[in-house]
Amino acid sequence: MRPPAYQQLADELRAEITSGRLQPGERLPPEPELCVKIGVSRSTVREALRLLASQHLIVTTRGVTGGSFVAHPDATQLADSLSTGFALLTHSAAVGFADLLELRRALEVPAAGLAALRRDDSHLLELRSALFDPAIDDFDTMMAAHSAFHRAMAKATGNPLFELVGRPLYQVSYGEEVIGDLPEGYWVRIDADHRAILACLTDGDAEGARRAAAAHLDYIAETVR
């Protein structure tokens, strides 16, 4: 069964964008031109453009100089598209918590080393803001802070690909349905680990940051089943 015409047009334009043939900021052909070129109605073109806009691939502006333009990549927005895939996999039999930790180890240990070398004062401030107090903060607050800390560390690498992959990973791997019951003292240790990693980043100690990140993941692997 052939997909609807608007889906076919959206797929063609998406391929142009993701291949780099249409660059960020570049204007797409006007709607009437697309109608003639593709041989579809204006309503079909508009539906295709709405679909691409919902996927953060284009932005549409009004006015004399308006039109549809290829969006500049934004790691936060693009990560939202990955979150659905991560969530579906983690709720299937194909992927377990150990698989998520394996991916985290592949990303976070080198990311910690890069962050120690590349972080600036704004990154350190964001990391400090993501610390929590296990003595007074509730469960939801600590889970949110944990995710925010690791997203901030990914950002501090200066490589947006770490942020792109990390954002949905931290959202999924720390859902309550994945973690289950936690041992006593778990959040005290997580807080201590975060502070140890932050200290290494502050000192610019790449090797120490990698060791602290690895120890952090070792503890999670040993205690969370």
Side-chain angles (χ1 to χ4, degrees):
M1 179 176 171
R2 287 173 61 83
Y6 79 88
Q7 180 71 62
Q8 295 180 58
L9 175 56
D11 290 344
E12 290 177 17
L13 291 172
R14 186 185 301 104
E16 291 287 309
I17 294 169
T18 56
S19 69
R21 289 190 288 273
L22 285 173
Q23 289 290 308
E26 190 172 344
R27 184 174 183 168
L28 272 62
E31 290 180 10
E33 185 177 326
L34 284 172
C35 292
V36 173
K37 181 180 179 181
I38 309 298
V40 294
S41 67
R42 195 156 189 169
S43 62
T44 296
V45 170
R46 288 178 175 173
E47 189 63 27
L49 296 179
R50 277 195 292 268
L51 178 58
L52 294 174
S54 72
Q55 297 170 342
H56 309 297
L57 292 173
I58 66 169
V59 291
T60 300
T61 59
R62 304 298 180 187
V64 178
T65 59
S68 294
F69 300 84
V70 178
H72 290 273
D74 179 272
T76 300
Q77 291 182 332
L78 293 173
D80 291 340
S81 300
L82 289 178
S83 294
T84 300
F86 269 89
L88 288 172
L89 281 173
T90 55
H91 287 89
S92 72
V95 174
F97 191 73
D99 299 306
L100 290 169
L101 279 180
E102 188 172 77
L103 178 56
R104 283 192 60 182
R105 187 180 295 279
L107 288 171
E108 285 182 31
V109 174
L114 290 174
L117 299 174
R118 298 175 180 174
R119 91 294 180 275
D120 59 28
D121 289 343
S122 68
H123 295 133
L124 294 176
L125 177 60
E126 188 173 358
L127 285 158
R128 291 190 192 99
S129 298
L131 295 175
F132 57 85
D133 186 344
I136 61 175
D137 288 329
D138 61 25
F139 181 79
D140 290 340
T141 298
M142 291 186 291
M143 284 211 301
H146 182 282
S147 179
F149 182 89
H150 287 284
R151 290 198 306 268
M153 187 169 69
K155 185 187 298 185
T157 67
N159 183 338
L161 293 176
F162 278 100
E163 190 178 358
L164 172 63
V165 177
R167 180 173 290 270
L169 173 62
Y170 304 133
Q171 289 173 343
V172 169
S173 64
Y174 278 83
E176 190 170 1
E177 71 280 4
V178 178
I179 290 181
D181 294 329
L182 295 170
E184 184 177 355
Y186 176 84
W187 289 111
V188 173
R189 171 60 188 270
I190 295 300
D191 172 58
D193 285 352
H194 284 184
R195 293 177 188 275
I197 293 170
L198 178 56
C200 291
L201 267 57
T202 301
D203 294 340
D205 180 2
E207 181 56 34
R210 287 190 289 268
R211 286 198 302 268
H216 177 58
L217 292 169
D218 286 343
Y219 173 72
I220 294 173
E222 292 166 2
T223 57
V224 179
R225 302 298 178 188

